Amino acid sequence: MQEQPGLWLQNDLLGLAAPEPAAATAPEATPAQAPASPPVPSAPQAPQTPIEPPRPVPISLPACAGRPQRTLPRGPESLLILDTETTGLSTLQGQCIEVGAILFHVPHRAVLTQVSFLLPCPANAAEAINGIPAAVTRLEQPRQEALACFLAMAAACDALVAHNAAFDRQWFGLGPLPSLDRPWICSMEDIRWPAERQLRSSPSVRDLALAYGVPVWAAHRALTDCIYLAQVFERCDDLEALLLGALEPRSLYRAELPYAERHRAREAGFRWNEAVPRAWSRRLSRREAEGLPFPVQLVADPIPADGLAHSA
C-alpha cells in the first residue's frame, strides 16, 4: 500500500505553488487625457526567492514505550494495625473472640479509622488473661456492621501490622473472619527498632510503648494494643525506613558459634531450639545476615513460605 504524504511533505508542495497575481485596477481614461507615453522596458527582475512553507507546530506526545523508568522504593502509605484475643493459643485449641483494628496513615502519622468487635463463644478458657467473659461475647451488638467496617479498612490498607503477627494471622480465613491478602509486618520480629531505644530484639508491646514514651494504662484487649502501636508509630521519625526494612524477604539462618559464645546469638535475637532443633536460629533478610558480627548458615525453613508473618 502506498503511503500518503506526511504533513511536512504536503506543506512543502503547497509552498512551491506560485501565488496568483493580484488584479490591478487601471484608472479610467478621459477625453482630455494626454496619450500615454510609450512603455519603457523595465530592467530584468531578480528571481524571487521561494517562500519558506510554515513548519508544523510541535505536538506534545507521551514518551515512547521503552525501558520503564526506575522508581525509588516506596513503603506502605496506609497500615491496618490489628490484634486479636482468643480462647487458646492455636486454632486447634480455641477460637478468636475479639478483633481490634486501626487504619493508620503513615505520611501524616495519623489514625484514620478504628474498630473493635466481639465474636460469640460458648466458653473462654483465657478469661483470666484477656478479661472477656464468654457471656459478654454473646450479648446483642452490631457485629455484622463492625465486621463490614473491618473489611473496608482491610481493603484500604497497603500492609497489615501486628505484634507477633504469626499468632494473629492464623485466625483469619476461619469462621466469620476473612482471609487478608495484604503483606504482613510483625512489629516484634520484622521491625528493627533503633538501638538508642535500648529494646530487646523481640520486645513486648509494653516495652515498646514505654521506650517511646507511650503510657501503658491497660493490657490484653485487642484495640488497646493497637492504640499502643499507633502511638509508637506517631513518634517514629524514621517510620518509612523501618517499614521498608521490615518488608524485605527473610529466610531462616542458624548461628555458627561455639557453645562458649552462645550469648552473642541470644543478644542478636536468635532463639534456641525453636525453628531449628538444638540450634540458635532466626529469620533474617540477606542484608541483615551479611551485617552480623558472626557467621551464619542458611537452613531449610520448616514453616511454609505462605505461613511466614512477613509475607503476603
Side-chain angles (χ1 to χ4, degrees), residues 92-231:
L92 300 177
Q93 301 172 347
Q95 68 176 94
C96 179
I97 60 173
E98 185 178 41
V99 175
I102 291 177
L103 187 62
F104 185 86
H105 193 264
V106 175
H108 287 277
R109 305 290 197 273
V111 171
L112 302 181
T113 313
Q114 52 189 343
V115 68
S116 167
F117 57 92
L118 294 170
L119 299 172
C121 67
N124 181 14
E127 181 179 347
I129 299 175
N130 53 45
I132 305 175
V136 172
T137 68
R138 300 192 298 269
L139 295 176
E140 185 177 354
Q141 58 177 295
R143 186 175 296 110
Q144 294 302 320
E145 291 82 357
L147 181 58
C149 179
F150 175 79
L151 290 173
M153 293 165 63
C157 77
D158 299 319
L160 308 160
V161 177
H163 206 74
N164 193 9
F167 175 82
D168 295 294
R169 180 177 179 173
Q170 65 181 321
W171 307 101
F172 291 92
L174 300 176
L177 295 181
S179 298
L180 301 176
D181 61 352
R182 298 293 192 267
W184 283 80
I185 297 174
C186 181
S187 54
M188 183 177 70
E189 295 287 347
D190 295 336
I191 297 181
R192 302 298 182 248
W193 300 102
E196 60 267 21
R197 298 293 173 176
Q198 299 182 350
L199 289 162
R200 295 179 299 172
S201 57
S202 301
S204 65
V205 173
R206 173 185 176 277
D207 291 343
L208 183 60
L210 294 177
Y212 277 86
V214 177
V216 177
W217 43 271
H220 293 301
R221 287 299 296 260
L223 189 58
T224 306
D225 286 354
C226 294
I227 292 173
Y228 291 152
L229 285 180
Q231 292 186 352

Side-chain angles (χ1 to χ4, degrees), residues 189 192 201-202 251-253 268-270 280-284:
E189 295 287 347
R192 302 298 182 248
S201 57
S202 301
S251 303
L252 187 62
Y253 289 87
F270 285 69
W280 292 94
S281 63
R282 188 180 187 186
R283 291 180 178 87
L284 303 167

Side-chain angles (χ1 to χ4, degrees), residues 27 46 152 169 235 243 262 305 307 311:
R169 180 177 179 173
R235 292 160 168 77
L243 295 174
R262 63 189 183 279
S311 61

Side-chain angles (χ1 to χ4, degrees), residues 267-279:
E267 293 169 356
F270 285 69
R271 295 179 180 175
W272 171 256
N273 199 31
E274 188 173 284
V276 180
R278 301 186 62 79

